[in-house]
Amino acid sequence: MNQRITEGRRISVQGIVQGVGFRPFVYTQATNLNLTGWIRNISSGVEMEINGSADGVASFLRALQFSLPPLARIDRLTVQECQPNHYTQFEILPSQSQPGDYIPVSPDMSICSDCTAELFDPANRRYRYPFINCTNCGPRFTIIQDIPYDRPKTTMAGFPMCPDCHAEYANPLDRRFHAQPVACPVCGPQIWFEDQQYHHLSNQEEALQTTRDWIRAGKIIAIKGLGGFHLTCDASNDAAVRELRSRKKRSQKPFALMAFSLEIIQKYARVQPEEASLLTSPQKPVVLLQKHTGAPISSEIAPGQNTLGFMLPYTPLHLLLLEPQPGFPEVLVMTSGNLSEEPIAHTDEDAHRRLHQLADGFLLHNREIHTRVDDSVVRLNQGEVYPIRRARGYAPDPVILNQSLPEVLATGAELKNTFCLTRDQYAFVSHHIGDMENYETYQAFQSSVEHYQTLFRVQPKMIAADLHPNYLATRYAQERAEREGLPLISVQHHHAHLAACLADNQQPAEKTVIGVIFDGTGYGTDDAIWGGEFLVGSIRSFIRPYHLVYTPLPGGDLSVRKPARMALAHLWQAGIDWMPELPACQALCYEERTLLRSQLEHHINTPQTSSMGRLFDAVSALIGVQQTASYEGQAAIELEALASQDQPRRVYSFSIEDGQINPAPLLRDIIADWSNGVPLPVLSARFHHAIASMTLEVCQRLRKSTGLNAVVLSGGVWQNMLLLESTTTGLKESGFEVFTHRQVPANDGGIALGQAVIAAANYNSI
Amino acid sequence: MGHGSGGKMTQDLIKNVFYPYFNSTPLSEGNDFARAALPESANLKGRLSISTDCHSVSPIQFPGGDIGKLAVCGTVNDMCMSGALPLYLTAGFILEEGFPIATLQQIVASMAAAAQEAGVAIVAGDTKVVEHGKADGVYITTSGIGWIPESRTIGGQYAQPGDVVIISGSIGDHGMAVLTARGDLGFEADIQSDVAPLNLMIANLLQAAPNTHVLRDPTRGGLATTLNEIVQQSGVGMILNETEIPVRPVVRTACEMLGFDPLYVANEGKLIAILPAAEAQAGLQAIQDSPYGDQAAIIGEVVAQPLKRVLLRTEMGTTRILDTLAGEMLPRIC
Ligand SMILES: [Fe+3]
Ligand SMILES: [Mg+2]
Ligand SMILES: [Zn+2]
Ligand SMILES: [Zn+2]
C-alpha cells in the first residue's frame, strides 16, 4: 500500500455533528488511516482538512458515509480537493462560531448500552449513578440554553468537572470526549427525596429506595425526569391508579406505562417485531400496543380501550427506579406531572406549586430542565412509525424538505399545538406544546418560539396562522405580524393538514393530489366548521370537490363533549325520528331533548359542520358505545376498540350527490341493524368499512375527473388504525399511490408544518 | 356577519369605518361615552357626558323588559360610566309599516318608566316609518347628556395594578333571557333580563369609593369581552377567580344546555367597577346596598403582567386565557 501523502481534501459537514461524538470518530478514523490535518466545530457544523495517501483518503470518505456514531446524522457533505499542507499530525482545533450560522440540535436520547452496562457494574466509578451519559446518549435539547452546544450554555454549567471526568472529556479517544453533560457522583447532579411538606427524607441511593418503598405502598410520587415531572404509581394497584385519576382530574384518558424490559411488556401486550424496535429505539417513545386480554393491570389504566401505551426506561434514573425485585411492581404508571390539561411541570418551584396536592412524595434532582418536553407517543402503521405526539427523542430534529424555503414562522393549531420554523431545507417542527387556552401552555409556546429562533438562528420574514379567528395561536400571529410589520397568511385548517402530509413525504410544492382530510373540526373558508373533506390540490392551493353534508353542531364544543347530542343532530338533519329506545335518546333526559330540538329548529348556537370526527362520535353514541367524551376522540376511539376484526360481508352506504356526501342512508341502516340486535362489534366494523369504501368511491370519481392518482390521508380521524388500514388497502388495491404521515402526526400536531410550507410556497406572491 | 356581537370584529369596524370620519379627542379615548369640555365662557364646573346607542332586539318584548326599557337604560348606563349625573335623553324611532300601535304604546310607556327611575328627561325625538319588510318591527336610537362633576376622572384607561374588580351581580341574564324567549325553549324558571338603570348604584358607589378608576357595563360580548377592552385601554393585565363570579343557576343551566359561556353573554343592568384595594370593601358595600346590587362580588384583581391579557383561575385550579371573541362563539376542539 502506498502510504505517501499525495492527497489533500477540505471537507465541510452539516447535520447533527456536534455533541454526538463526531470529532472523536473522525480523529480515530484519521489516526488509524495515517491521515494528518485538523477538524473543528463551526456554528454551521464541522469543517476539516485531511492529508494522506489516495487509499487513506478514500477509506476515510467511505467511513464518513457508512460508519457514523449512532446519534450523528449528515445532511450535507462538501468535499474539495486541495494541496497537501505538510501537517505533522491530526488535531482537534478549538471551536469557531460565526453569528447567523446554526446547526441542528440533537434531541434527548435514551441511555446507551455502554452506559447501561457501566450503570450496573459495581466496579465502575459511576455504578448506580443516575446521571451517567456519554456522547452517544443522554440529555441534549432539554438542557441547551444556546448554541454552539458547549457546557457553559447548558444547565450543566453549574457543575464543574472533577479531574477524572475532565480527563475523559478531553481525551479524543474516550466515549465521553466533549460529552457536555458528562458527570459522576463526585462532581455531577444528585437526587433526593422529599415528602409533601418538603421535608428532605433521603439522598442518593436511599432516595431511590424511599421512592420504591412508597410506590410499593401504593403512594403517588412526582419524579423529576428528563423533560419534566412524571406522576408515578403502581399500575397494578387499582386504588392507587384511581386516586391518581381523581387528583389529576383526569377521569378516563389513558395513562402511559413504563416497564424495565421488553420481556415484561410482552406479558401485558402484543409486541410485533417492528414495535419492539420502536420501543428499544434511541428515542424510546410511548408505543401504543394491543393489550392482552386479562393482562394483570388495573382496568383504570385505559378504560374502554384495547391498547396500552408502554415505554422502556430512557434515563439511568428510570432504569434504577424500575429495576426488577420480588414484590416491587413490574409496571409503573408514568403520566405527565400536571393537573388535567396543564403543561407538564418542569422546574422544582413549578412542581412544588402545581404538584403539591397531586403527589405524596417527590424524587428530585438538581440538574435544571431548560425546556419542558413531553414523552412522545407513536404507533405502528404498515411496519413504520406513525407519530401521535411528537416530542422527546424526535424534536427538535427538523423535517427535511425537498427544497430550500424562506424563513417562516407557522403558529399551528389551538389544541395539541406545535409551531414550525423554516430555514434552508429544514422545517423545525416544535415539540408538542399543548392546549393554548391554558395560560401556562401559552407562555411555554411564546418562550419556545423564542428559544427555537435563537437555537436555529431563524428570523421570520413571514408568519402563517390558522384561519380560525379565535385560536390563540392565530391571535399571537396577528399581534406579532402587526408589531414586526411582517406579512401574515391565514391558512385553512384542512389545507394545512394536506400540505403537512405532502411535506412529511418530501413532496414538491407543485405535486397535486387528492386529499382525504378527515378531522374533528376546523374553520372553513365559508365560515362553516369543516372536517370531512375531499380536497384536490397541492401545497400551493386547493379546491373542495366533495364534503360530508352540513349538519348542525348544537352548542359547538358542547356537542363535542356530549356525542349523544351529535347523534340526535345527525338524525334531525337526516329527517330520522328520535326513537326513545335509541341509546343516544336514553342518554339525554326529556328536557334536554326538548331543548335540543328547539335549539336545532331555531338555529340557536348551531354552527354547520361537515366533520367526519363528529360522525364517528354520533355513531358511537347512537348505538350506545359512549355518550360523553372526557378526552378528545374518546367516543370514536371506543367505537374502534370494540370493532370486530373480521372483514364484514356487508357495509353501510352513503348517498353522494353534487359533491355532498350524505350519511342519511347509513344512519338508517345502522338503526335498522341495531333494532335487529346485530352485535355492536359487527355494527362498528360495518361502519368503519363503510367509511373506507365511501372514501374509495369518491377517490375513484376524482381520479376519473382529474386524472390524479395520488391520495393523501391526513387529519385526526386517521389515527383510527382500523379505518386507516382498511382505506389504505382498498386504495392500493385500486392502484392509488397513498401518502400517510411518517414524521409529524396526522392530528393537529402536524398543522404547523403544513402552514409553513403553504406560506413559503406563496411567499413570492405576497 | 359577526359585527354585532361585540367582539374583536366590532372593535375593528369602529376603528376602521367610524373613527376615520368621526375623529375627535373624546371619541378616540375609546369609552362608551364622550367627555366633552364646556365652553369656557359658560363658566360652569365639570364636563358633559354624551352618549348615543342604537337598539334592535328580537323579540321586542322579553321577560324583564322590552326594547324601550333597553333603549333608555342602555344610554343612561353608558353616560353614567363616566361618573356623570344623567340629565337629558333624545329618542329616534324607525318603525316598520304595520307595527302595532298598542305595542308601540307599551314600549313608550316602559321608556317613560325607565326614564323616571333614572331621573332623566326625554327632551327630543324623531320617528321614521319604513316599508313593511325593511325593518324588524322597531329600532330605537337614544342619545343622552349628563354632567360630570369637576373632580371625576373615570374611564377604561385608568385601571391600575393592585386595583380590585367588582361585578354588581349575576352575569348572562339579559342574553339568555332574550335567547330563551326567542326560541320559546320552555325553561321551568323563566330567565329575566337584568335591564335596569344604574345611576343610583353608581352615585352610591362614588360616594363610598371616590377614587374609583373604571366603571363599565358589560353589555354585548359579556364580562370577558368588556374586561379585555379595559386591559387593552389601560395597558394592564387581570386575574379573575371563576368561583367568585356570580351566575344564576338557571342561567348556568341554560348556558350549559345550549353551549354558551356565561362570561361572553350580554348583560344590560350590570356594572363593572375597578377601584383601589383600599376602597374595595366600602365600594362593594355601597353597591350591595343599592338597587340591583345585592349579588355584587369582588371577582378579581388588576395586575401588571401578563400585559393586556385577562386570565381566569378556574374552579379546577388551572389558569385559562379569556380572550376576546372575534365574531360568534365557534368550536375549538378539533
Ligand atoms: Fe385538525
Ligand atoms: Mg354606546
Ligand atoms: Zn452512553
Ligand atoms: Zn466527575
Side-chain angles (χ1 to χ4, degrees), chain A residues 11 352 437 541 556:
Chain A
I11 302 170
H352 280 151
E437 193 183 57
S541 63

Side-chain angles (χ1 to χ4, degrees), chain A residues 490-708:
Chain A
S490 298
V491 180
Q492 199 281 323
H493 189 89
H494 303 99
H495 185 211
H497 274 305
L498 170 80
C501 194
L502 285 168
D504 193 339
N505 286 278
Q506 282 203 304
Q507 296 301 303
E510 313 65 62
K511 174 83 175 186
T512 304
V513 295
I514 298 166
V516 186
I517 316 300
F518 289 169
D519 199 24
T521 59
Y523 196 66
T525 53
D526 58 354
D527 299 345
I529 305 302
W530 295 6
E533 316 303 314
F534 286 84
L535 309 180
V536 167
S538 63
I539 287 174
R540 285 186 203 289
S541 63
F542 74 99
I543 54 168
R544 183 193 186 212
Y546 290 89
H547 62 85
L548 270 188
V549 108
Y550 282 145
T551 302
L553 184 60
D557 284 339
L558 174 63
S559 284
V560 185
R561 289 188 295 268
K562 281 190 165 183
R565 296 170 58 89
M566 205 59 227
L568 298 192
H570 260 289
L571 298 187
W572 184 83
Q573 177 67 30
I576 301 170
D577 279 351
W578 293 356
M579 301 185 317
E581 65 272 24
L582 286 173
C585 284
Q586 305 256 309
L588 303 173
C589 66
Y590 172 77
E591 288 75 17
E592 211 172 343
R593 294 203 303 272
T594 313
L595 189 62
L596 179 61
R597 183 177 293 282
S598 176
Q599 183 172 22
L600 289 165
E601 280 165 3
H602 293 92
H603 310 291
I604 296 170
N605 195 16
T606 50
Q608 296 287 300
T609 186
S610 55
S611 166
M612 180 59 85
R614 297 294 85 81
L615 181 61
F616 271 80
D617 286 357
V619 170
S620 179
L622 185 61
I623 62 174
V625 176
Q626 184 53 264
Q627 308 295 352
T628 54
S630 70
Y631 60 91
E632 250 191 288
Q634 181 179 1
I637 289 168
E638 293 182 11
L639 181 65
E640 179 195 357
L642 64 77
S644 144
Q645 293 306 302
D646 310 324
Q647 176 86 29
R649 274 177 288 113
R650 184 172 86 75
V651 302
Y652 307 126
S653 57
F654 287 82
S655 77
I656 306 171
E657 227 175 298
D658 298 333
Q660 310 269 318
I661 303 161
N662 192 336
L666 169 138
L667 295 168
R668 283 202 180 84
D669 288 348
I670 290 177
I671 292 174
D673 271 3
W674 181 83
S675 306
N676 291 329
V678 175
L680 295 188
V682 176
L683 275 173
S684 173
R686 285 179 180 174
F687 171 70
H688 278 84
H689 288 275
I691 306 293
S693 89
M694 175 275 285
T695 302
L696 177 60
E697 186 188 335
V698 176
C699 286
Q700 280 168 331
R701 289 191 191 197
L702 285 169
R703 175 159 66 184
K704 219 167 176 183
S705 61
T706 63
L708 295 169

Side-chain angles (χ1 to χ4, degrees), chain B residues 1 9 16 19 32 43 46 52 70 85 103 126 128 133 137 155 175 189 195-196 228 261 263 267 270 292 302 320 322:
Chain B
M1 179 77 178
M9 288 168 79
N16 299 328
Y19 276 11
D32 286 336
N43 205 13
T52 190
L70 200 62
L85 187 71
T103 315
D126 184 37
K128 289 282 180 293
V195 56
N228 267 286
D261 184 342
L263 293 165
N267 310 280
K270 290 294 165 346
Y292 316 113
V302 178
R320 175 182 156 201
L322 281 188

Side-chain angles (χ1 to χ4, degrees), chain A residues 249 339 414 437 439 442 468 470 475 519 521 523 555 557-558 565 592 595 598-599 602 604-605 632 748, chain B residues 179 183 185 256-260 306 309 311 316 318-321 323-324 326 328 330-334:
Chain A
K249 300 191 176 137
L339 181 65
E414 179 82 345
E437 193 183 57
Y439 177 59
Y442 185 77
H468 197 304
N470 296 334
R475 193 59 56 81
D519 199 24
T521 59
Y523 196 66
D557 284 339
L558 174 63
R565 296 170 58 89
E592 211 172 343
L595 189 62
S598 176
Q599 183 172 22
H602 293 92
I604 296 170
N605 195 16
E632 250 191 288
D748 283 6
Chain B
L179 251 180
L185 300 183
E256 273 167 11
M257 292 179 86
L258 295 169
F260 288 103
R309 291 251 172 247
L311 303 182
M316 200 186 224
T318 59
T319 308
R320 175 182 156 201
I321 299 175
D323 203 13
T324 307
E328 310 301 322
L330 289 166
R332 282 179 340 117
I333 302 175
C334 181

